[in-house]
Amino acid sequence: MTVTAPSVDQQDQREPRPASGARGRLLRLVPAAASALCGVLLYVSFPPRTLWWLALPAFAGFGWVLRGRSWKAALGLGYLFGLGFLLPLLVWTGVEVGPGPWLALVAIEALFVALVGVGVAAVSRLPAWPVWAAAVWVAGEAARARAPFGGFPWGKIAFGQADGVFLPLAAVGGTPVLGFAVVLCGFGLYEAGRLIAERRRTRSVRRAAAAAALLSVAVPVAGAFAARALVSDAAEDGTATVALVQGNVPRSGLEFNAQRRAVLDYHARETHKLAAAIKAGRVPRPDYVLWPENSSDIDPFAYPDAAAVIEQAAEDVGVPVSVGGVVERDGRLLNEQILWDPVKGPTQTYDKRQIQPFGEFLPLRSLVGAINEDWTAMAHQDFSRGGKPGVFTMDGTKVGLATCYEAAFDWAVRDTVTHGAEMISVPSNNATFDRSEMTYQQLAMSRIRAVEHSRTVTVPVTSGVSAIIMPDGKITQRTGMFVPAYLVQKVPLRSSTTPATELGVLPEIALVLVAAGGIGWAVGSGLRARRAGDA
C-alpha cells in the first residue's frame, strides 16, 4: 500500500492539535480572544469615527480564526465576533430602559453572526474562498434584515462606509454590493498574507490561489473607483430651497414629550424665527419646510389648539410644512407625516410602514409583561403600519419620505424613488437615545442612501443631529445636538436612477444564491471525502 503525505494546504486546513499544560490552555484561548477583538475592531470602524478602513483588518482577522475550523468551533468563534461587534454598537438601545433589552437584542443578533461563522468556515476549504465567504456574510445580513419581528439591519457593513473609498459601490448594487466588497477585500487581505507566508515556508504557491487572493483585493478597490462615474450632485430637474427645523425637546429620554404640547411649541417657535429671518433678508425663502418625526407631540386632528399652532407657523413662513405627529384614526395609532399647506391646511399624509419592534409595537407582549410590567406600560398600544410609499408633492417637487427607522431598510427608501421622488427626507426623533452614537450611526445610513439613489437627503431631527446631504454623500450643513436650530439651503433635484435603484433586491438575491452554492459545494465535498475515507 502506498501512503501519500498530505499537502501543505491540507495540513493548514486541519484543526490545530491541542498543546499540553498551561501553555496549551492559553494557546486554545487565542482564537477566541482574537475573534472577539476583531469584532471590537469592526465596531470602531463605524460612525461617529471615520476609521472605515478598520473593517478590512477586522475581517482579515476573522478569516484567520475561521479558516479550516470545524462547525462547532466556527459557531463559537462567530458568536464571539458578533458579541465584540454588536455589544458596543447597540449599547444605545439600553440608554433609557436598562441593560436587559440591550443584552437580549445583542444575544439574538449575534446568533446570526455565529451561523455566518459556520458558513465561512465551511467555504474556506474551497478555491477562491474569500468570494464565497463574503457572500455568506451578505446572506447573514439579509437574514438579519428580515427576522425576527420584521428584522433589524442595524450594523450592516455598508453603514460603516460613508467616509470610505468603497462608498460609490452603493450606486451599483446598494448596501449588499457595498458590504460584499468590503468583506471580500478583508478576507482577500488575509488570504494574500497566508499565501505569502506559505511561499516563504515552502518556496512555492499555487498560481490559481495567488491570483484569486490578488483579485479579491484588487477588484473591489478598482470597482469602487470605476463606480465614481455614477456619483454626481448635479441638478437634473432644477433646484429647490429647503428648510429644516430642529425645535429641540424639553428633556431627553423616554419622557421627551411629557409636557403637553411643549415639543410642538418648540418647533413652531423655531419656525417663527425662520420666518423672521426670511422677512429680514438673512436667509432665502424656502419652497417648503421639513419638521422632524414626532414634532407635534399631540394629535393635531384631535386637538384644535395643536392644529392652530401648526397653522400659525405655516402661515407665518408662507410655504408648506411637513409635520411629524402621532395620530389616532379609526382606532389605529399611526406615526404620521402631515403636509400642512398655509392656505389649505393638511393636504397629504404618510404613515410609517416599517415600525420598530419593542419601540412602536411590542412582540410577545404577555411574555414581556411577565418579565417587566413597566415595559408593557410604556407601549400600552401598538402602532399600526402604513400601506403606501410616502411621496409628498411640495411646491411642485416630489419629496420621498422614509421615517427614522425606515432608513435602515433598503426597500423603504428605494420605493420612494421608484414612485418619483426627486429628493428624500428622513424625519427622525432621536431624543429617546440621549447623546448616544445612535444619532451618528443613523446619519451615516442617510449618507449611504444619498449615493445609492443619487438623491439629496435631508434629515430633520427633533433634538439633532439634523443635516443636509448632497447626492454624493457629503454633508453640507448640520446642527448640534439638543439645540434649537434651522437650516436653509438650495439643493439639486434629480430624476435619473442608479443601477442600485433599478436592480432593487436582485444583487442581494444573487449574493445569497452564491453563498448557498458555496455552502452546498463545501458540504458535498466534505461528504464525498468522508465516504472516500471510509472506503
Side-chain angles (χ1 to χ4, degrees):
M1 181 177 67
T2 303
V3 178
T4 304
S7 68
V8 172
D9 194 54
Q10 288 171 329
Q11 292 171 351
D12 186 67
Q13 291 172 2
R14 292 175 174 174
E15 286 287 312
R17 292 180 179 178
S20 58
R23 181 174 178 272
R25 287 192 293 272
L26 287 174
L27 287 175
R28 286 194 292 274
L29 290 176
V30 168
S35 191
L37 287 173
C38 286
V40 174
L41 194 64
L42 181 59
Y43 155 71
V44 176
S45 75
F46 270 65
R49 295 157 296 276
T50 57
L51 304 174
W52 58 269
W53 52 271
L54 286 178
L56 303 182
F59 279 102
F62 194 40
W64 170 69
V65 299
L66 288 178
R67 190 174 188 276
R69 296 282 177 181
S70 68
W71 73 267
K72 290 181 181 179
L75 187 71
L77 292 169
Y79 197 74
L80 289 171
F81 183 83
L83 291 178
F85 173 43
L86 296 172
L87 270 172
L89 185 81
L90 302 179
V91 68
W92 52 267
T93 59
V95 166
E96 294 296 333
V97 294
W102 162 50
L103 296 175
L105 174 64
V106 171
I108 293 170
E109 295 296 308
L111 285 173
F112 289 90
V113 184
L115 294 173
V116 166
V118 174
V120 170
V123 300
S124 69
R125 297 175 173 86
L126 301 179
W129 72 267
V131 177
W132 306 104
V136 169
W137 181 274
V138 173
E141 288 189 339
R144 283 207 304 124
R146 291 165 174 81
F149 314 125
F152 188 74
W154 221 275
K156 273 190 169 186
I157 299 306
F159 296 150
Q161 297 295 310
D163 293 293
V165 299
F166 298 101
L167 177 60
L169 289 170
V172 176
T175 59
V177 168
L178 174 53
F180 174 78
V182 175
V183 179
L184 174 61
C185 196
F187 285 149
L189 284 173
Y190 161 66
E191 179 66 357
R194 187 188 73 81
L195 292 175
I196 290 170
E198 180 181 311
R199 179 170 176 78
R200 288 178 178 174
R201 188 171 61 250
T202 66
R203 299 190 180 279
S204 66
V205 68
R206 288 174 292 117
R207 290 183 179 179
L214 178 62
L215 290 173
S216 295
V217 177
V219 169
V221 175
F225 279 96
R228 292 171 69 178
L230 298 172
V231 180
S232 172
D233 60 359
E236 295 175 333
D237 300 292
T239 60
T241 300
V242 59
L244 279 62
V245 170
Q246 176 178 301
N248 203 12
V249 295
R251 68 196 74 178
S252 63
L254 295 173
E255 301 300 320
F256 76 95
N257 64 348
Q259 184 178 343
R260 186 186 184 278
R261 223 185 71 181
V263 178
L264 172 57
D265 287 343
Y266 281 18
H267 283 81
R269 182 172 61 193
E270 199 62 24
T271 304
H272 289 304
K273 289 181 182 179
L274 169 62
I278 294 168
K279 292 169 185 174
R282 293 195 299 272
V283 297
R285 178 178 296 277
D287 297 307
Y288 41 87
V289 176
L290 302 172
W291 283 13
E293 176 189 33
N294 302 148
S295 47
S296 178
D297 49 0
I298 53 178
D299 184 350
F301 296 112
Y303 295 94
D305 62 324
V309 169
I310 297 171
E311 284 174 0
Q312 290 168 8
E315 289 173 2
D316 194 13
V317 78
V319 297
V321 180
S322 179
V323 179
V326 175
V327 173
E328 190 166 359
R329 184 179 296 118
D330 300 325
R332 302 169 69 224
L333 195 62
L334 301 166
N335 187 336
E336 190 165 84
Q337 288 292 310
I338 308 159
L339 181 58
W340 210 287
D341 187 88
V343 177
K344 301 176 183 177
T347 57
Q348 299 178 64
T349 60
Y350 166 64
D351 300 321
K352 187 176 182 181
R353 295 169 294 160
Q354 186 66 46
I355 56 178
Q356 184 180 351
F358 301 100
E360 292 169 310
F361 75 100
L362 195 60
L364 310 175
R365 181 175 287 272
S366 58
L367 176 61
V368 172
I371 298 171
N372 190 324
E373 292 182 356
D374 291 339
W375 295 342
T376 55
M378 285 188 291
H380 62 279
Q381 181 180 352
D382 291 341
F383 279 80
S384 296
R385 300 174 185 270
K388 297 179 180 179
V391 181
F392 283 172
T393 301
M394 306 178 72
D395 194 41
T397 300
K398 291 189 177 296
V399 180
L401 298 167
T403 305
C404 197
Y405 184 57
E406 291 183 320
F409 292 82
D410 297 345
W411 65 268
V413 181
R414 175 180 177 265
D415 68 3
T416 68
V417 179
T418 58
H419 281 77
E422 298 167 289
M423 63 164 284
I424 300 168
S425 185
V426 184
S428 303
N429 173 27
N430 297 340
T432 306
F433 304 106
D434 203 10
R435 297 181 181 272
S436 69
E437 293 183 357
M438 181 269 187
T439 292
Y440 303 100
Q441 293 170 7
Q442 190 178 52
L443 183 59
M445 294 177 192
S446 295
R447 295 178 64 190
I448 300 298
R449 300 306 183 193
V451 175
E452 181 179 10
H453 300 294
S454 194
R455 294 292 188 273
T456 297
V457 176
T458 57
V459 188
V461 185
T462 50
S463 55
V465 172
S466 300
I468 297 174
I469 305 166
M470 291 293 100
D472 60 2
K474 291 185 175 62
I475 297 174
T476 53
Q477 289 193 64
R478 62 191 295 173
T479 69
M481 292 185 71
F482 292 100
V483 292
Y486 57 78
L487 304 174
V488 182
Q489 184 174 319
K490 183 181 289 186
V491 300
L493 303 177
R494 295 177 60 84
S495 56
S496 64
T497 54
T498 63
T501 308
E502 293 292 331
L503 293 171
V505 75
L506 292 179
E508 185 176 59
I509 291 174
L511 289 170
V512 169
L513 292 175
V514 169
I519 292 173
W521 183 8
V523 171
S525 297
L527 291 175
R528 287 191 295 271
R530 183 174 299 175
R531 291 194 194 102
D534 291 342

